[in-house]
Amino acid sequence: MRKRNWSVLLGAAFLMATSAVGPGFLTQTTVFTQQLAASFGFVILISIILDIGVQLNVWRVIAVSERRAQDIANLVLPGLGAFVTFLIVLGGLAFNIGNVGGAGLGFNVLLGISPETGAMLAAGMAIAVFLVREAGKVMDRFAQVMGFLMILLIVYVAITSGPPVGEAVAKTFMPDEVDVLAIVTLVGGTVGGYITFAGGHRLLDAGVKGKDALPEVTTSAVSGITVASIIRVFLFLAALGVVSKGLVLDASNPPASVFQLAAGNVGYKLFGVVMLSAAVTSVIGSAYTSVSFLKSYSGIIRRNENWVIIGFILVSTAIFVTIGQPVRLLILAGALNGLVLPLTLGVMLLAAYKPSIVGQYRHPVVLTVFGVLVVLIMAYLGGYTLMQQVPKLFN
């Protein structure tokens, strides 16, 4: 495999993985470990299998068709691409406000400055990536460095917390209980919304496309899920080590208390680094992917992509600094986000069997079965979430 391509494949994998590992990912993993203890290992295992199925379906169709997701959707049903773009950009903006806030919290832990000031510093870091001429390469490298840094720090805290590894392994295959909602939440948090398209669109932009590139696309897709899963597993072990000793996590910031209870004040500072790394890379991934969906609709956006990405980051930051977390927008985006995965995955599965989109390509039956299963489960639960959340908009 050529060196340039390997760098791009790794870059796309880490962009997807670090887009998934944001403030919400850290909190979800910690809270579910507290609730399910060692049995959460089973939830992680099932979600990893489902994540790989989703990612391979989406990335392969994007690569073979040599088109972005919104363009594929428009070919399946005219106008559907615009609706998908609306959902992705709305979700991307809403979650980016949370990501900017998480980065502000990271700086608050590290330097003692206000979260708002920290958010502006973090936005400056993210914007700096897109001010460089070869922003794509810088983005790839930044995601890789931050990803490796998070893995190293979380592994250190996991070792320090002394988790019952034997019990965790046993319960991963023979859990005391199976929490379906936790599985769905993890799948949505790892490959839901804009996240799975971050790497797929990055490969397309870097010229990794066509039927001949499928082995490379598969390698990159599986690598992305592997990186996100390594971070998830070691964070689970770190939290399990703390919870198994009977220590109580701070409900206002569960992941921070895992780090602090496991490794003292040093651990708390390490949490600041992990939160900052997770949040800034998610800001970059969200802005890049959201704008990649808008490119189909405007030549101006295509020609000024980096400046539009910078504008997206500035808007997210301005909303956080002036309003804070806009509760209604976050509720709406969270509810709609549950529909993005079944809708877009369903579109990809339909596209995989249209010769006008994929040519002579034959989609693996196993991936189709996997994909249909995920579409049905996520559509049901996404619809249920929507029904639960919409009334809250009017409270």
Side-chain angles (χ1 to χ4, degrees):
M1 213 174 280
R2 296 187 304 281
K3 187 180 177 184
R4 185 195 74 84
N5 261 14
W6 180 242
S7 172
V8 168
L9 301 186
L10 209 55
F14 270 89
L15 180 66
M16 172 266 141
T18 55
S19 292
V21 182
F25 180 104
L26 301 178
T27 304
Q28 280 171 5
T29 305
T30 310
V31 169
F32 281 131
T33 305
Q34 194 175 14
Q35 291 171 1
L36 302 172
S39 295
F40 184 49
F42 175 78
V43 171
I44 293 175
L45 176 64
I46 299 300
S47 68
I48 289 170
I49 295 167
L50 293 175
D51 290 343
I52 290 172
V54 170
Q55 188 105 311
L56 285 175
N57 271 305
V58 173
W59 286 29
R60 285 172 74 94
V61 175
I62 287 174
V64 170
S65 67
E66 302 187 15
R67 295 179 175 95
R68 293 186 183 83
Q70 68 274 23
D71 300 324
I72 295 169
N74 275 331
L75 288 172
V76 170
L77 181 68
L80 186 58
F83 180 61
V84 168
T85 299
F86 168 74
L87 292 179
I88 294 281
V89 174
L90 176 71
L93 179 65
F95 296 123
N96 229 21
I97 296 164
N99 292 333
V100 168
L105 177 63
F107 267 126
N108 171 256
V109 168
L110 286 172
L111 304 177
I113 58 179
S114 74
E116 289 76 16
T117 305
M120 288 189 279
L121 280 177
M125 287 172 64
I127 286 168
V129 170
F130 296 101
L131 289 173
V132 182
R133 183 184 290 269
E134 296 211 331
K137 288 182 179 177
V138 175
M139 179 172 68
D140 290 348
R141 186 64 63 200
F142 186 78
Q144 288 170 46
V145 170
M146 292 294 107
F148 278 123
L149 179 64
M150 284 190 278
I151 289 170
L152 285 173
L153 297 182
I154 292 171
V155 167
Y156 168 76
V157 173
I159 292 168
T160 309
S161 78
V165 177
E167 184 190 359
V169 172
K171 295 285 174 68
T172 294
F173 298 98
M174 294 287 288
D176 293 332
E177 59 179 308
V178 176
D179 190 327
V180 177
L181 187 62
I183 293 170
V184 171
T185 304
L186 257 61
V187 172
T190 311
V191 290
Y194 70 88
I195 297 166
T196 195
F197 300 106
H201 283 188
R202 175 68 193 121
L203 288 180
L204 205 58
D205 284 347
V208 181
K209 58 189 178 182
K211 204 170 174 181
D212 293 342
L214 280 178
E216 295 166 287
V217 171
T218 300
T219 299
S220 187
V222 174
S223 299
I225 298 296
T226 303
V227 171
S229 301
I230 288 169
I231 294 172
R232 175 96 69 189
V233 166
F234 280 102
L235 187 57
F236 155 61
L237 289 173
L240 185 63
V242 171
V243 171
S244 65
K245 293 179 178 66
L247 299 171
V248 180
L249 304 183
D250 176 6
S252 66
N253 197 344
S257 58
V258 164
F259 279 69
Q260 192 161 23
L261 291 167
N265 282 334
V266 172
Y268 186 60
K269 293 296 183 187
L270 293 182
F271 164 74
V273 177
V274 169
M275 177 59 98
L276 179 61
S277 305
V280 171
T281 49
S282 293
V283 167
I284 289 168
S286 173
Y288 166 78
T289 312
S290 296
V291 173
S292 79
F293 272 81
L294 293 170
K295 284 200 292 190
S296 296
Y297 303 99
S298 167
I300 294 171
I301 292 175
R302 274 196 300 278
R303 289 190 296 274
N304 300 281
E305 181 180 4
N306 287 357
W307 290 109
V308 178
I309 291 171
I310 289 168
F312 193 90
I313 295 169
L314 286 172
V315 169
S316 311
T317 309
I319 293 172
F320 175 74
V321 171
T322 55
I323 301 172
Q325 301 281 10
V327 177
R328 286 173 195 268
L329 177 62
L330 287 171
I331 289 172
L332 178 63
L336 291 174
N337 199 55
L339 299 177
V340 172
L341 180 55
L343 176 63
T344 51
L345 180 55
V347 166
M348 292 296 162
L349 291 170
L350 288 171
Y353 289 91
K354 281 184 170 284
S356 59
I357 298 174
V358 297
Q360 300 301 308
Y361 166 72
R362 295 176 68 83
H363 199 58
V365 176
V366 175
L367 285 182
T368 303
V369 172
F370 235 93
V372 170
L373 186 68
V374 174
V375 167
L376 294 174
I377 295 169
M378 298 300 283
Y380 172 75
L381 286 150
Y384 176 78
T385 305
L386 193 64
M387 300 301 287
Q388 296 285 98
Q389 296 295 329
V390 166
K392 294 181 183 178
L393 292 171
F394 305 102
N395 290 344

